[in-house]
Amino acid sequence: MFRATLKSLLARKVRLILSGLAVVLGVMFVSGAFVLTDTLGRSFDSVFADGFSEIDVNVAAKPKVQVNEMEGEQTVAPLPAALVDRVKQVPGAASATGVVNADGARVIGSNGKVVTSFGPPQLGENWTGESELLKLREGRAPQAEDEIVINKALATAAKVQVGQKVGVLTAFESKKRDFTLVGVFGYSGDRDSIGGVNEVFFTTPVAQRLMLGEPDVFSSITVQAAGGVSDEKLRDDVARTLGADFEVKTGEQVAADASASLKEGLSFFNKILLGFAAVALLVGTFLILNTFSIIVAQRTRELALMRAIGASGRQIIGSVVLEAIAVGLIASVLGLAAGIGVGALLAFLFGKLAGGLTLAGIGVPAAAVIGSFAVGLVITVVAALLPALRASRIPPIAAMQDVATPDRPLTKITVAGSLVTGVGAVLLFLGLSGNAGGQTLSTILGGVLFAFIGVALLTPLISRPVVSLLGAIFSWSVPGQLGRLNSGRNPRRTAITAAALMVGIALVTGVTVILDSAKGSISALAQDTIKAELVIAGQQGGPRPPTFDPGVLDQAKALPGVRLVDGEYGDMGRIDGEGTWVAASSDIASLRQIFGAKPTAGDIDRLGPTQMLASSDTATSRGWSVGSTVNVQLTRGEARTYTISGIYESSQLTNPVTLPVTAAKDFAIPQPIQGFIQLDPGTRVSDVQPQVEALLADSPEVSVADRDAFIKQQTSSLDGLLTMIQILLALAIVIAVLGIINTLALSVLERTRELGLLRAIGLRRSQTMGMITVEAVVISVFGALLGVVVGTGLGAAVVEALKDEGITDLILPWGQMGVFLGLAAIIGVVAAVLPAVRAARINVLGAIAHD
Amino acid sequence: MTATVGQQAQAAARANDVWKVYGSGEAQVIALRGVSAEFERGRFTAIMGPSGSGKSTLMHCLAGLDSVTRGTVSIGETTVTGLGDAGLTKLRRDKVGFIFQQFNLLPTLTAKENILLPLSIAGRKPDPAWYDTVIETVGLKDRLDHRPAQLSGGQQQRVACARALVSRPEVIFADEPTGNLDSRSGAEVLNFLRNSVREHGQTIVMVTHDPTAAAYADRVVFLADGEIVSELIEPTAETVLDTMKKLDTPAEVGN
């Protein structure tokens, strides 16, 4: 029996390759995700281990506001310079060096644009001399106030040479300042950077002033142990001397912590990739289910014979499942291998993008292997169970006669489909209305999954009229008419094939509906609310938002025709111990007018140095009212007490709380991020814009745009997100295309005799191909149509649920939907090519004699 | 007319007042009308009749492939009627062998693997002496490693015969075994079936409409319109043909 199964499997390799390919692609996604994140994780480990290798013990202030990797770089408060001497006194410390090391040193390249990094920080540091690790390649160390040294990779990217004047923006100065580049350094092992980090070294006083905002402070102190003193002992001694206000760690610990926080981000990334793998595998499941169903149908006589000569129903199930296990195993192995390749490729691209991250060797983590085999095997076997069950019900008598497979009624499947769709709808409703009790995301995902399966089960019923209607477009010609009839011939098979395509298209459509609606709603709100003709802002490339010189705000205010100017600052702060996004405004009265803010309590037109405004939502949820006092801890400085002096009405565009502009110097980014300019009535935008532009000459990260351009710029990040999701979902669609090819190829095989007959009575080759193509196009357009409808439904449901979050307009992407349908028609034509060629090549005589 | 039966020895298969009705209302077709028959152990019985006479239905019911509307069927000591799927599976495994008109070999397996398939499904080892005997008798010794596609029709049917014989079933049902063969290959297969009855005591029930094939049997039972209408012992092609002609005539008059 075992042998018979394996032999029959080998004889059908071609048929199984396509369904196996679906599993391979899904598994590839899974293993690729694991390999990529593992490789990057180990690369970061080694980068950090290297970067901190020369530090025995590191002293830093405890972070005042903890931010995670998703929210940006951690900024720690500075340490007083006097602490260095205290550390030096600790027995066992050979030396202690004060280090300035902060994100936000941006070099302006020879093209006048800021050199950006996609992820790694842009550090501004104080020069403390060369080391084993860090060596000057050219020039000398910075000695004067206006001298800097940068790393080789940054010099290359900025296209600057030693001796040239180079403009730099710093954490505390977003106005360009010119320095002379006096040296370029690199790292041991001929590396131009460590992990793509851009570094600028100043003299110590300059670094303190520009990167930390005050003299005589350091970011951290690095301590070298005297001979014979272990890092751990020194750490404990230093910690005891300094007390509990400081974080004292060994170099190894610092490296591990830095790496761990990055890996948190990586694991989030990993989950997203696995989510897309799940979609691909769901589609793959449909494909496998279909393939096995067709194979079982084709083997009816063979399976009946097995039954007639004594095989039990269980043995038949076993043989089909065994076949599935074999396919699953092979596909898992191939998928794993392909995933390793894809993971390595992506890691390579990531390393390049991140500016030369030195990759650790590609490794295959156990999770990739286990995940690949578990997923590959389980999916294949689950998908084959239904066909296996059907196979076991084949009566042995089918071996004796041509039992026409009766057209089973669709009642059962329709009832089941309605039930499952119902369950999906209930789950979606619960999840979207926020009644899922903390399981919102999983409830929604479960609802979507059930909805897909339910609709797939209902598809056979829907397919009859819809396919017939779609096919009517082609029925003017005989091949078209035949193709139309063929596509309606086996509603279940057509349905599953179309359902596989539906899943991908529905998800893309749903996401498009949601994002377009969000974009539309936000744009509409911004258009209604923001009463500023000009906006100063920049395109955010890395984790740090672009900033500009606050002096520009005053200069702009003085321009003729300018009525109001407001500059906006933002940061994560802790208010009464809870992490909260805080904003500061350069001119609170202008802010109120430009954003048309409405007070719900107190006064929102002015703000004293210890006063604070809150949005109505925040005030309600935190239980604040005018007169409440709160404790605010910002990234730098001591915690301060503020009194709530006014509450404004919440909208999508309001910040939770607004602090006076004096607080902004303690923000992680103490420079304005956006500026809003309202003009006097009757002033032409085109008159003022060039003047503001001129003011921004030394703030190359930002530009001034009119309001519509600004809104477009702000919502453009959603477009990027949409494109990324579409690319990832494209894989699901590719798998669905494989499904169509598979179904058609098997249908052609099944109908060999019939095709031969048609050719014998005069159907031309081209007509045969036309017939197959029509069948494919009808199936794929049907699938896309289903997907567009289901996706619109899902998207609309989510948009409805997000009404309270400010997504008020439901915007249906008609153009996109049209594109999907057109694309589906093309997909159909492409999928039909191979089966059509095969059908056209059928040997007429052989086909008629074919048994 | 019911029941004409050979009374000797013990019956390998027995039908007792078997009715088979398909469909209902106007579409109702009565395929068998109270057929009772016994098929003795160690004999070669042919069931004959014009198309639509119910001969295939009778065989399917006897083999437990199809259920009966009324009446009972038994094979050896086992009452087939009323058995569930597990019981029927066991019956097919242990007591029944089949030979089909279209050979029904698995194209992916070699001749040898095809022959041993029923035993391997049942998880049994072949009796080596009996296996050799069967291979010897069907004359396939040098063809065992060939696939069905590399064998002629006659050879394929002999593989199918060997497959039925190798598990030594209580009874072998053969459904038009020569229907797809030329006369020479057909004669070979029939000779081989007759020999297995004479030399090894196998019981065979064969459905056919070919008088020449029926003449190889020890006994022929004639069916018409779902009833047993006649019977011949030690038939020859001529006597079978004559009986068939007699059966056809009233039907033609009836038309």
Side-chain angles (χ1 to χ4, degrees), chain A residues 440-452:
Chain A
T440 310
L441 186 66
S442 47
T443 310
I444 293 177
L445 291 180
V448 171
L449 182 69
F450 271 99
F452 279 147

Side-chain angles (χ1 to χ4, degrees), chain A residues 320-483:
Chain A
V320 176
V321 169
L322 191 66
E323 215 169 299
I325 290 176
V327 171
L329 262 181
I330 295 169
S332 300
V333 171
L334 294 178
L336 177 63
I340 294 169
V342 167
L345 179 72
L346 288 177
F348 172 76
L349 291 177
F350 186 94
K352 277 267 171 265
L353 192 72
L357 175 69
T358 315
L359 288 182
I362 299 298
V364 184
V369 179
I370 298 168
S372 298
F373 280 97
V375 160
L377 275 180
V378 169
I379 291 285
T380 322
V381 170
V382 165
L385 273 184
L386 212 63
L389 212 62
R390 206 171 297 150
S392 75
R393 297 210 187 111
I394 293 172
I397 198 166
M400 310 256 176
Q401 43 193 222
D402 280 317
V403 194
T405 346
D407 212 1
R408 284 169 298 153
L410 298 173
T411 331
K412 253 195 215 160
I413 201 173
T414 305
V415 171
S418 312
L419 282 177
V420 175
T421 313
V423 171
V426 169
L427 284 179
L428 275 176
F429 177 77
L430 284 180
L432 292 175
S433 61
N435 288 327
Q439 298 289 316
T440 310
L441 186 66
S442 47
T443 310
I444 293 177
L445 291 180
V448 171
L449 182 69
F450 271 99
F452 279 147
I453 296 175
V455 172
L457 288 174
L458 286 176
T459 311
L461 188 74
I462 311 167
S463 84
R464 275 199 178 132
V466 179
V467 161
S468 161
L469 209 65
L470 282 175
I473 306 168
F474 301 100
S475 52
W476 46 269
S477 70
V478 174
Q481 177 69 13
L482 287 170

Side-chain angles (χ1 to χ4, degrees), chain B residues 43-46 48 194 198 211-222 231-241 243:
Chain B
R43 292 193 75 180
F44 188 179
T45 313
M48 282 208 76
R194 184 165 61 186
R198 297 219 172 130
T212 322
Y216 282 82
D218 299 322
R219 169 182 160 222
V220 185
V221 174
F222 291 89
E231 173 178 29
L232 282 174
I233 309 284
E234 302 299 331
T236 62
E238 287 74 31
T239 55
V240 174
L241 198 58
T243 316

Side-chain angles (χ1 to χ4, degrees), chain A residues 45-187:
Chain A
D45 276 345
S46 85
V47 163
F48 287 112
D50 227 13
F52 294 99
S53 63
E54 300 207 318
I55 299 172
D56 289 341
V57 169
N58 186 73
V59 179
K62 287 219 161 111
K64 302 200 164 175
V65 179
Q66 201 85 40
V67 294
N68 65 33
E69 186 60 30
M70 291 293 109
E71 290 163 348
E73 297 288 331
Q74 179 78 58
T75 309
V76 291
L79 300 165
L83 205 64
V84 179
D85 289 330
R86 276 180 67 199
V87 173
K88 266 186 197 153
Q89 305 299 319
V90 177
S95 70
T97 317
V99 172
V100 175
N101 178 311
D103 188 20
R106 293 148 288 168
V107 167
I108 298 165
S110 60
N111 60 357
K113 293 220 170 77
V114 170
V115 178
T116 51
S117 82
F118 298 94
Q122 301 178 293
L123 298 179
E125 297 159 78
N126 62 331
W127 183 258
T128 56
E130 290 182 87
S131 66
E132 284 296 304
L133 189 63
L134 185 157
K135 289 265 188 289
L136 280 171
R137 298 251 180 98
E138 264 182 86
R140 56 171 175 84
Q143 286 155 2
E145 272 211 347
D146 64 341
E147 292 178 348
I148 55 167
V149 165
I150 63 177
N151 64 320
K152 176 73 179 141
L154 177 55
T156 311
K159 296 198 178 70
V160 292
Q161 260 108 40
V162 171
Q164 281 184 345
K165 287 256 179 255
V166 175
V168 181
L169 308 177
T170 52
F172 279 80
E173 217 176 62
S174 283
K175 183 177 182 175
K176 182 176 91 172
R177 180 184 278 261
D178 282 331
F179 291 89
T180 310
L181 182 65
V182 295
V184 170
F185 70 90
Y187 286 94

